[in-house]
Amino acid sequence: MTHIAVVEDDSGCRRQILDYLERYTRETGEQFKVCAFEDGDSIIGSYRAQYDVILMDIQMAFVDGMTAAREIRELDDQVLIIFITSLASYAVKGYEVDALDYVLKPVSYFAFAKSMGRALERLRRRRRRYLSVSSKSGTQRVDCARVYYIEADGHSLSYYTADGRLSGTGTMKEVEESLAGGWFFRCGKGLLVNLEHVEGVTDGDAVVHGTTVQVSRSRRKEFLAAFNRYINEVGQ
């Protein structure tokens, strides 16, 4: 669930942005929790770092969007700010508050959707996922982004990570299910590879952080398709 704030003093434009968010949900399946504000002072009055994205008009009657953004940045350096403006000249000022993007009025759905896509992709790259590695000595939490690949030998698991090799217990099926939705690919019965760390392919096998790991012949076509999809969607 992505938390979004819409800050717009024009009721018609505010309604349009809210409608666009609903349309985006219908078309993509992305789920949003949305709060709407009628002016910059409304959002900064009791601001807490609870939003992922702020869609903010710049020219508002009481507190303009640029002023509000500066105050928000003092409290929250992570929220993504997308300005909505009728003047392209304001885009340059957006760099002062590390704005992700700006959309020109009148806002077209195409421009809006493109900007939202950029924001959501940025959030996906930023968010961390963790994997629980269980062993006889206890359980350790590992950042999935630091896992290169995982090998299984029966109920013994070896995690090759940026912090070295970890040993755990469990099954490959359990690990694969816990990592569903990420960029891990099952290269064979006992091998799960993090596509984020695949440096290339040689003779049909994957080169993962300098190590060549075997991709089963029956999975090579699917692996190449998944790797290309990762490069096109994330790895650019």
Side-chain angles (χ1 to χ4, degrees):
M1 179 76 71
T2 302
H3 292 239
I4 294 182
V6 177
V7 189
E8 171 62 72
D9 64 344
D10 182 283
S11 59
C13 189
R14 186 168 62 250
R15 182 67 260 170
Q16 181 186 50
I17 297 301
L18 295 175
D19 288 344
Y20 280 175
L21 286 168
E22 292 178 2
R23 177 178 170 182
Y24 196 87
T25 291
R26 291 194 303 270
E27 293 182 356
T28 67
E30 294 284 352
Q31 297 296 314
F32 303 122
K33 182 176 181 181
V34 183
C35 291
F37 299 89
E38 297 180 359
D39 200 271
D41 63 344
S42 301
I43 189 171
I44 63 177
S46 57
Y47 187 84
R48 292 181 294 113
Q50 74 243 56
Y51 302 110
D52 299 302
V53 181
I54 299 177
L55 299 164
M56 180 132 60
D57 185 19
I58 290 184
Q59 295 170 288
M60 293 183 285
F62 296 103
V63 175
D64 66 88
M66 195 62 65
T67 299
R70 289 193 185 99
E71 293 198 28
I72 287 170
R73 273 289 173 251
E74 292 181 3
L75 302 170
D76 188 351
D77 63 356
Q78 293 297 306
V79 66
L80 302 179
I81 298 173
I82 297 174
F83 282 125
I84 300 169
T85 177
S86 56
L87 297 174
S89 58
Y90 277 113
V92 177
K93 290 187 177 181
Y95 291 110
E96 299 175 12
V97 291
D98 193 26
L100 174 71
D101 206 353
Y102 74 97
V103 180
L104 284 175
K105 293 183 179 181
V107 180
S108 71
Y109 179 73
F110 175 80
F112 170 84
K114 185 176 180 181
S115 191
M116 281 302 301
R118 286 190 64 201
L120 293 171
E121 185 55 41
R122 178 75 64 86
L123 290 173
R124 277 190 282 270
R125 293 189 190 192
R126 178 188 293 173
R127 287 169 177 158
R128 288 186 174 184
R129 295 180 63 190
Y130 290 91
L131 185 65
S132 293
V133 177
S134 299
S135 65
K136 294 179 181 179
S137 59
T139 301
Q140 184 174 348
R141 193 175 74 152
V142 179
D143 186 345
C144 293
R146 297 179 68 79
V147 176
Y148 300 146
Y149 60 95
I150 305 165
E151 285 183 333
D153 182 8
H155 286 272
S156 296
L157 297 170
S158 295
Y159 298 80
Y160 294 86
T161 79
D163 303 302
R165 179 179 174 275
L166 300 174
S167 296
T169 58
T171 66
M172 183 59 78
K173 182 180 179 182
E174 292 170 343
V175 175
E176 187 176 21
E177 288 176 351
S178 69
L179 292 169
W183 288 103
F184 282 80
F185 184 83
R186 184 79 169 264
C187 292
K189 184 178 178 180
L191 180 66
L192 195 64
V193 166
N194 187 349
L195 295 177
E196 182 179 353
H197 295 291
V198 174
E199 298 169 347
V201 180
T202 178
D203 295 328
D205 293 327
V207 180
V208 187
H209 200 70
T211 300
T212 300
V213 298
Q214 187 174 19
V215 179
S216 67
R217 289 184 179 275
S218 62
R219 303 233 67 194
R220 283 180 178 177
K221 185 176 180 180
E222 288 182 63
F223 168 73
L224 288 173
F227 184 45
N228 287 329
R229 188 165 60 250
Y230 169 80
I231 291 173
N232 291 330
E233 294 183 21
V234 180
Q236 296 178 352

